[in-house]
Amino acid sequence: PDNGFDGLYEGYRLSTSLNGGRARYRGVEFSYQQQFTFLPGLWRGLGINANYTYLETKGDYGGTVATTQVAGFRPRAANAAISYQIRKYRASVQANWVDDYLLTVAANPSQIVYESARTTINVKLTYDLSPRTSVYLNLDNLTRSPINSRYYAMMPERVGYTRLPFRSIAAGVQGRF
């Protein structure tokens, strides 16, 4: 009867959600992309692409928590790719790196979970059969980096979970309509 609704909705379960404090994040991203079409001969098909992201976070969870980092933000990440295109052929080698980051928070420092850093390398090859049809071959995760590798208490040797994928090969025909 004393549920804040003058006894109405007796037996119902009431639930709500709210933010648990404040957070601030700042960051910067650097990016560079260049197609070397000005180069002579076969070199004109060469291209590069690179970017780097840096984030700084600080949070107050509104209670007793053993960190001021904000969960879910990757503090550093980078991508780099070298590509080549000539006539109907395209090829690229791509690398992706992400740093360790906070996955979950807890009041007890030994229960804080982090995701480990990882680097993946992919190779992509394409041949255009026509302006609307191409065949491709993708070789993904050549380094066989874990998709997820979680550890506790800022101690990478305290691994709690690792999901290690296979390298993958995908081939097919792509049509554009």
Side-chain angles (χ1 to χ4, degrees):
D2 188 23
N3 64 4
F5 297 99
D6 296 327
L8 296 174
Y9 312 111
E10 185 175 345
Y12 283 77
R13 179 179 175 177
L14 302 175
S15 61
T16 186
S17 62
L18 58 107
N19 290 332
R22 296 183 302 219
R24 181 189 78 202
Y25 62 94
R26 298 178 186 180
V28 63
E29 180 176 9
F30 300 99
S31 181
Y32 181 77
Q33 183 174 351
Q34 177 75 52
Q35 289 299 124
F36 297 103
T37 56
F38 58 87
L39 292 175
L42 294 176
W43 292 104
R44 73 179 314 125
L46 189 63
I48 62 168
N49 179 12
N51 65 45
Y52 175 79
T53 303
Y54 173 81
L55 290 177
E56 181 180 276
T57 64
K58 186 171 185 171
D60 170 12
Y61 288 93
T64 306
V65 176
T67 184
T68 59
Q69 290 178 311
V70 179
F73 284 88
R74 294 186 184 268
R76 291 183 295 276
N79 296 286
I82 297 173
S83 62
Y84 189 78
Q85 181 173 350
I86 187 166
R87 296 180 192 86
K88 297 181 176 192
Y89 297 93
R90 290 189 306 277
S92 68
V93 177
Q94 305 164 343
N96 169 263
W97 169 79
V98 290
D99 199 7
D100 295 78
Y101 77 100
L102 179 66
L103 195 62
T104 64
V105 296
N108 183 340
S110 68
Q111 294 177 339
I112 295 176
V113 181
Y114 289 84
E115 185 78 34
S116 293
R118 68 173 165 80
T119 301
T120 58
I121 297 176
N122 305 319
V123 174
K124 309 221 180 271
L125 306 168
T126 305
Y127 175 74
D128 293 328
L129 296 170
S130 73
R132 293 180 172 230
T133 308
S134 58
V135 293
Y136 66 90
L137 174 67
N138 296 343
L139 309 170
D140 294 325
N141 199 10
L142 296 179
T143 56
R144 200 165 180 235
S145 290
I147 292 174
N148 304 105
S149 184
R150 298 178 181 160
Y151 64 90
Y152 294 92
M154 295 185 69
M155 299 171 67
E157 62 275 5
R158 289 190 61 204
V159 176
Y161 170 83
T162 297
R163 191 171 96 181
L164 189 61
F166 292 102
R167 294 175 188 94
S168 71
I169 299 172
V173 177
Q174 181 179 8
R176 293 172 289 284
F177 302 98

